[in-house]
Amino acid sequence: MAFGMRVVVLHLLISLLLLQLIKGDDDTLIKLDKPKLQKCGIDRIYQFGDSLSDTGNCLRESYCGAQTKTGKLPFGMNFYQNATGRCSDGFIILDYIAMECGLPLLNPSLEENADFSHGANFAVSRATALSAEYLISRNIAISFTNSSLSVQLQWMSSHFKSVCSDDCAKYLENSLFLVGEIGGDDVTYGFKQGRPIEEVRRIVPDIVKNIIHSVRTIIGFGATRILVPGNFPSGCFPIILTLYMSKSSTVYDEYHCAEEWNNFTISYNNLLQQAIHELNREYPNISIIYGDYYNAYYWLLRNAVALGFDKKTLQIACCGIGGEYNYTEDRRCGKPGAEKACADPSTYISWDGSHLTQKAYGWITKWLIDDILPQLNCHV
């Protein structure tokens, strides 16, 4: 009972805090009353990743932009009624982290003439950790974007040549780098194309190897604070639950999440954590932190009702059409017939079946910041 009351009180406090968001004169600066990460002195953020982090790069790629529906409502319906390429109804994790640092929201790196003085976002929707060539060699086709993690690193290198070629280490000494989440699409592409889960599992070590190589590359430019998120328990997501419905052997946990898929994710995350641990021993003066998206999401599920989510919609997509989870591949959010979202996204965790609502991202970010703050060596 006491715990439940604390969660309710916390919910009210966060709700009041979110009501204090102030839209800046340049439409990009958001201020929080007491941003937790501001005491760390972070002055720039650099993001790599996929659709969980994209703030508009996909829209600026010809092929990716032609396929995505994130450039029009209902995407962004709670982002000042502005569809920016974010896969949500509003803010995403990166936005909340920027707010907590007291910084403007990050512009997509492909946006021409944008302000990158506070960092840049290189993430692209549907991007993979592995190259297109590698995945094709494993009979996994990519049909959305070729802007894999290695391509995003090339963009970063070009960016730094233009802003800090003489002394990037000094320029980046107070920066925060987010390498991911990425790698989830590599796995999902394979699974959706009929590859057995054990076959897909074989590419995981190479996914982790590419992520770690990227971290080394970033360190080489002078990064000292790096967050490397693991994967969400996607066995709880409508997209995976829908794909699994055809498997009669599916076993669900107490939250109706597909156990086999989540066990796969646990093994992936464990491998990534071990690689990060080894990196930390190699670079003892650099903060390389694992972002525990998995446990953050389960914390949200356990406390969902107390946090204001509807118990009946915890695994139902707010935007989409069809099936038990309001998700079908050919009628995803934004496609013909699915141009409208639910009346109140704040009562849903899932936005479109594979991404979360603004409110869900907000709570997950709060959990993450509480988890990583002691590891950031803020020295305040």
Side-chain angles (χ1 to χ4, degrees):
M1 177 69 73
F3 174 76
M5 286 300 296
R6 286 198 298 271
V7 170
V8 171
V9 171
L10 184 60
H11 174 219
L12 292 174
L13 289 173
I14 293 294
S15 296
L16 289 172
L17 180 63
L18 292 177
L19 287 174
Q20 296 179 30
L21 294 178
I22 304 173
K23 187 177 178 183
D25 293 335
D26 62 355
D27 291 339
T28 60
L29 182 58
I30 310 292
K31 295 181 179 178
L32 293 179
D33 187 32
K34 293 181 179 179
K36 284 189 175 182
L37 291 179
Q38 192 166 20
K39 63 184 179 180
C40 295
I42 295 167
D43 57 11
R44 295 179 182 87
I45 300 174
Y46 297 95
Q47 171 80 63
F48 305 83
D50 54 26
S51 56
L52 293 177
S53 308
D54 190 357
T55 56
N57 280 322
C58 176
L59 293 180
R60 292 165 173 82
E61 287 191 348
S62 57
Y63 189 60
C64 189
Q67 297 182 85
T68 186
K69 303 300 179 183
T70 60
K72 62 180 183 179
L73 298 177
F75 288 93
M77 60 184 286
N78 290 315
F79 195 91
Y80 316 122
Q81 285 285 309
N82 186 18
T84 61
R86 289 166 171 81
C87 294
S88 181
D89 61 307
F91 298 125
I92 57 176
I93 290 174
L94 172 61
D95 297 325
Y96 285 111
I97 289 177
M99 294 180 212
E100 291 286 0
C101 291
L103 296 176
L105 305 186
L106 263 65
N107 290 314
S109 63
L110 298 182
E111 181 178 353
E112 294 183 3
N113 303 316
D115 180 5
F116 298 115
S117 58
H118 296 284
N121 184 5
F122 304 105
V124 183
S125 291
R126 305 279 187 95
T128 54
L130 298 166
S131 69
E133 293 77 13
Y134 175 99
L135 291 171
I136 290 171
S137 73
R138 299 299 190 278
N139 296 316
I140 298 174
I142 298 177
S143 59
F144 210 80
T145 178
N146 289 332
S147 298
S148 64
L149 185 53
S150 61
V151 172
Q152 294 176 29
L153 286 171
Q154 292 171 17
W155 294 347
M156 177 200 71
S157 179
S158 296
H159 174 75
F160 287 156
K161 284 179 182 178
S162 68
V163 299
C164 64
S165 57
D166 294 335
D167 191 358
C168 281
K170 179 67 176 177
Y171 184 80
L172 299 172
E173 63 181 353
N174 294 316
S175 297
L176 174 66
F177 286 76
L178 287 78
V179 186
E181 182 275 338
I182 195 164
D185 280 316
D186 305 56
V187 170
T188 304
Y189 280 136
F191 186 66
K192 287 171 69 174
Q193 292 169 32
R195 301 289 173 268
I197 197 166
E198 286 305 317
E199 182 179 331
V200 176
R201 192 187 302 275
R202 296 191 192 106
I203 71 172
V204 169
D206 287 332
I207 292 174
V208 171
K209 186 182 299 183
N210 264 25
I211 293 172
I212 297 304
H213 170 74
S214 300
V215 173
R216 291 181 187 278
T217 301
I218 291 165
I219 291 173
F221 277 93
T224 59
R225 290 172 175 167
I226 305 168
L227 178 65
V228 186
N231 276 333
F232 281 121
S234 49
C236 304
F237 285 24
I239 179 175
I240 297 298
L241 289 167
T242 298
L243 291 171
Y244 256 70
M245 284 189 70
S246 62
K247 298 185 64 174
S248 59
S249 61
T250 298
V251 177
Y252 302 101
D253 68 10
E254 61 181 306
Y255 299 102
H256 196 73
C257 301
E259 285 191 337
E260 183 181 13
W261 190 262
N262 280 353
N263 287 338
F264 174 92
T265 305
I266 289 171
S267 64
Y268 170 95
N269 287 341
N270 285 342
L271 191 62
L272 180 61
Q273 288 180 79
Q274 178 58 38
I276 292 170
H277 177 69
E278 293 171 2
L279 265 185
N280 273 309
R281 288 191 299 181
E282 185 177 346
Y283 297 100
N285 297 321
I286 295 175
S287 298
I288 309 168
I289 304 166
Y290 174 70
D292 196 350
Y293 281 18
Y294 192 98
N295 282 312
Y297 190 91
Y298 262 102
W299 171 84
L300 181 65
L301 272 184
R302 286 193 298 272
N303 297 287
V305 175
L307 297 176
F309 296 95
D310 186 342
K311 185 178 181 179
K312 297 178 182 178
T313 64
L314 296 185
Q315 288 160 325
I316 295 176
C318 166
C319 183
I321 288 181
E324 182 177 344
Y325 306 101
N326 202 32
Y327 177 90
T328 49
E329 273 292 298
D330 58 350
R331 302 186 77 185
R332 300 189 304 274
C333 183
K335 289 203 167 187
E339 296 96 340
K340 293 184 179 181
C342 60
D344 185 5
S346 71
T347 62
Y348 285 70
I349 289 178
S350 176
W351 164 244
D352 61 359
S354 51
H355 308 94
L356 309 186
T357 59
Q358 169 178 272
K359 182 177 177 181
Y361 280 137
W363 280 108
I364 283 173
T365 308
K366 182 199 174 299
W367 189 98
L368 284 170
I369 289 174
D370 288 343
D371 188 53
I372 69 174
L373 191 56
Q375 306 174 66
L376 279 173
N377 297 325
C378 296
H379 303 300
V380 294

